Amino acid sequence: MPEYCDANELDELRRKLLWRGPSPSTDRFLSVFMDQNNKCNLRCRMCGFSDPRVAALAKYDLPRWAYDRIASELFPRANYVCLSLMTEPFMTRDFPERLTALRTYGVPFSDVITNGTLMSEEAIAIILDSSLTRLIVSIDGGTKEIFETVRPGANFERVVTNFTLLRTRRHERSATLPRLRINHVLSELNIDHFDDFLELVELLQAEEVAVRTVSRMSEAAIQESSDPVFWDKVRSARVKLAAFCQRTAVVDAAFLRDRHSMIDLFTDTGEKLICRTPWTTIAVHPNGDVYPCMAWSRPPVGNLTRQTFDEIWNSAPLNALRDEFERERPGLDCLNCTIRRAANDPDDDFFYRKLAVPAVA
């Protein structure tokens, strides 16, 4: 476990890593992660879309017929749905209309992660009608210069305007949903400007903030740092973030970790907590392939454009994987998990592998 965690932080970390929605039940037991396409309009330097190989890939959407079919099977079983994984959901033209399925199937908790560049007034109206629980905007700099350096292709003013417009339209309806969260990835490009970022979070009046450090995404332009000076700055940022959240009541929605330490968590009786995703989670990629987690680089366990949920959920491949998890007992540390990786994936190339899978036939 991270050496700088005290008992209260460990309890909070357990809660965050074990969270699967507001109230899992036998009827609504599933966490669903679902990409709508294999595209993004930005080339953020810490993201797999900055991998030079990506430019040559054919771009496609999850077809609407496939989305509707998959939603009809998964969403009634879902306690939590995230409608984006690795890509920009608003690159799919009818994405705002797809959000209506959340209300149709009464999903208890849902969110969307976006770079915030493509939200229109019309899209915001649909978002507010959709019962979406949380909208997450990725903002990796508190000033125009830093933001646009980290996120090539983005316009700082446009993202700030779109975020503010959504908050304003929500306020005009006297609504509380969707909750607004800002994600922030710390790298050597922005670590010295963390104070500016916190000032922006307060200005934008986000309810939540999630800060993490760069982790490997295929051949992205920026990879995780091995510089001890950087990690010293990360520890300083942790202190600033805690003070900021205490002062402003903004919720710290993530865990800013020391990447060089493992996370091992245990029950009160000393039993190691293990990953349960093969029993709780489905990740659907835009060709319908199904995986037990978002960063899987081993073969899929099925395809929802050719099989039903029940066929996949009770299949030999998924049951064999569950047996493997019981034997290997992987912990809750996704970043250091090896069980999710194929034998021919020594460099953790999951991001590019997912984007390169061909479209639905």
Side-chain angles (χ1 to χ4, degrees), residues 130-151:
S130 70
S131 300
L132 180 70
T133 311
R134 180 170 61 198
L135 187 127
I136 304 166
V137 180
S138 297
I139 299 178
D140 299 305
T143 65
K144 178 179 177 67
E145 178 185 6
I146 299 301
F147 175 85
E148 294 181 4
T149 296
V150 176
R151 305 181 70 81

Side-chain angles (χ1 to χ4, degrees), residues 237-266:
R238 276 173 46 84
V239 174
K240 291 179 180 180
L241 179 62
F244 172 82
C245 290
Q246 184 175 26
R247 178 178 63 81
T248 62
V250 173
V251 174
D252 182 359
F255 179 74
L256 181 53
R257 62 183 288 174
D258 183 337
R259 182 63 178 83
H260 297 299
S261 62
M262 296 284 290
I263 295 177
D264 285 321
L265 296 174
F266 300 87

Side-chain angles (χ1 to χ4, degrees), residues 294-308:
M294 298 72 70
W296 203 252
S297 67
R298 293 163 66 172
V301 295
N303 185 288
L304 280 166
T305 68
R306 300 188 296 269
Q307 298 167 276
T308 67

